[in-house]
Amino acid sequence: MPSLTDFVLDARGDELSGVRWLAFGAADELLSHPALGDLDLQTRNRLGAARLVHFLDDMALTEHRIVNVAAQRIAENRLRGHDVPEPLALDALKLYTDEGYHAYFTALAVGRIREAFGLAAYEGPSQKITGIEALVAEVPAPRRDMAWFLVGFVGETMVTKAIVDAMRSTAHSALQRLLLAHLEDEWVHARYFAHLFSRVWPTLAAQERADLGELLPRIMGAFHVRDPERIAHTLTDAGVPASARKTVLARQAPEEGQFARARHMGANTLQVMARCGVFRDEAVRGAFVRAGLIDRDGNLQGKSA
């Protein structure tokens, strides 16, 4: 089997333009927009490639700018006093190494897709990354390490569904292989963070649980903000007509729909929290209800994506 760092497309973009190999379909909020329904197959495939690049770029950035910061805090035993034995803390270094490799082979794949389709690199900041970093920066210094741990927990328990959705979007064997290898590691990472969360949460003092519990919905939402500037770049790069771009971008406010997306993508995260007793605290449960992440009766199942 070829190495993931030897990723190649079987054909160039002009040869792939007549086959449906990158159709995200109804699962993708952007590509399923009604204003894009009349695109010809060539433009739609180019848009699919640009959208996939957006998704992979986002994953690579999240891995080395967000998840590895959380892993670093754990590995340095900054959660000491919260039932994290040293061997479990050191296991975070394995995760750290995995995430660096993921970011590397993902970035290589992005470069090859861009080259095949003649897509331009996006040079702007990521709304999601800067938003998460700003959110953690608001947390008082004594609890900032714990906040980073919660960010890692949320991100790693949500990412598996995103990868599965991406795998359903393409029939290209090299992409399937790359995403599957990533998914297999992320399942392990999700279990690691879920296990760590189950040990850490009960050790928190009541006030810590109250404060960090109200932070958790904000973290979930921060992972699902829209990035209008990046979306505009994706649409333009793909050659989408100006009228369709204008219609799509008219409804791309950063916060619009973020918690509905977080609830849909974060079902596993919410289940872990429920098992660990997060929602037993009335104030914390209220914060999740107000965000629309759970129902007043405690139901975790999202009504729509």
Side-chain angles (χ1 to χ4, degrees):
M1 179 179 293
S3 166
L4 294 171
T5 60
D6 294 330
F7 175 87
V8 292
L9 295 173
D10 296 334
R12 294 191 59 82
D14 53 357
E15 296 170 309
L16 290 165
S17 62
V19 293
R20 294 186 179 276
W21 68 288
L22 275 172
F24 274 66
D28 185 87
E29 185 180 19
L30 174 62
L31 297 190
S32 61
H33 194 289
L36 303 176
D38 293 332
L39 296 179
D40 60 69
L41 183 57
Q42 183 173 2
T43 304
R44 190 160 190 82
N45 273 332
R46 186 176 171 84
L47 177 58
R51 182 68 181 91
L52 181 64
V53 162
H54 180 179
F55 172 75
L56 295 175
D57 269 344
D58 178 75
M59 277 208 305
L61 272 175
T62 302
E63 283 159 345
H64 70 78
R65 287 270 296 274
I66 299 299
V67 177
N68 267 354
V69 176
Q72 178 185 346
R73 298 301 197 274
I74 299 166
E76 292 176 356
N77 207 20
R78 297 198 194 184
L79 304 185
R80 58 184 172 274
H82 294 288
D83 195 24
V84 182
E86 186 174 357
L88 189 58
L90 287 176
D91 280 345
L93 290 177
K94 300 176 186 176
L95 187 149
Y96 186 99
T97 303
D98 282 346
E99 295 293 27
Y101 181 52
H102 294 167
Y104 177 62
F105 71 62
T106 299
L108 288 175
V110 163
R112 306 253 161 72
I113 296 169
R114 283 195 184 116
E115 182 181 8
F117 283 88
L119 300 171
Y122 179 67
E123 304 293 346
S126 163
Q127 181 100 25
K128 168 181 160 181
I129 301 299
T130 56
I132 292 171
E133 291 173 338
L135 179 61
V136 175
E138 293 176 11
V139 176
R143 291 182 182 160
R144 205 164 291 154
D145 290 330
M146 187 62 68
W148 271 116
F149 163 64
L150 295 180
V151 165
F153 159 70
V154 169
E156 290 296 87
T157 52
M158 287 197 299
V159 73
T160 53
K161 177 167 174 49
I163 297 173
V164 169
D165 286 350
M167 288 180 69
R168 290 172 178 157
S169 76
T170 177
H172 196 285
S173 59
L175 281 169
Q176 285 281 355
R177 185 167 59 249
L178 179 145
L179 290 167
L180 179 59
H182 198 158
L183 179 63
E184 288 172 343
D185 281 346
E186 293 299 348
W187 274 328
V188 175
H189 296 179
R191 288 195 297 271
Y192 173 82
F193 268 99
H195 174 64
L196 206 53
F197 185 84
S198 73
R199 299 180 69 112
V200 167
W201 186 261
T203 70
L204 298 175
Q207 190 59 52
E208 286 181 301
R209 285 199 301 271
D211 293 344
L212 294 170
E214 293 197 17
L215 179 66
L216 277 168
R218 297 180 65 197
I219 292 172
M220 289 187 70
F223 272 94
H224 294 281
V225 294
R226 290 197 181 113
D227 196 332
E229 292 186 6
R230 180 61 197 260
I231 292 171
H233 171 86
T234 297
L235 296 170
T236 303
D237 211 20
V240 173
S243 58
R245 293 202 307 270
K246 183 177 180 181
T247 301
V248 172
L249 292 170
R251 298 185 59 187
Q252 297 296 326
E255 290 81 18
E256 184 179 348
Q258 69 180 120
F259 287 104
R261 291 190 293 277
R263 179 169 181 166
H264 174 63
M265 300 298 291
N268 183 52
T269 307
L270 293 168
Q271 288 168 5
V272 173
M273 291 181 193
R275 287 198 302 270
C276 295
V278 172
F279 306 131
R280 292 175 196 154
D281 183 287
E282 185 176 351
V284 174
R285 184 172 65 254
F288 278 82
V289 170
R290 288 191 298 275
L293 291 169
I294 64 174
D295 296 339
R296 291 188 182 279
D297 62 3
N299 179 33
L300 307 183
Q301 297 301 313
K303 297 173 183 176
S304 62

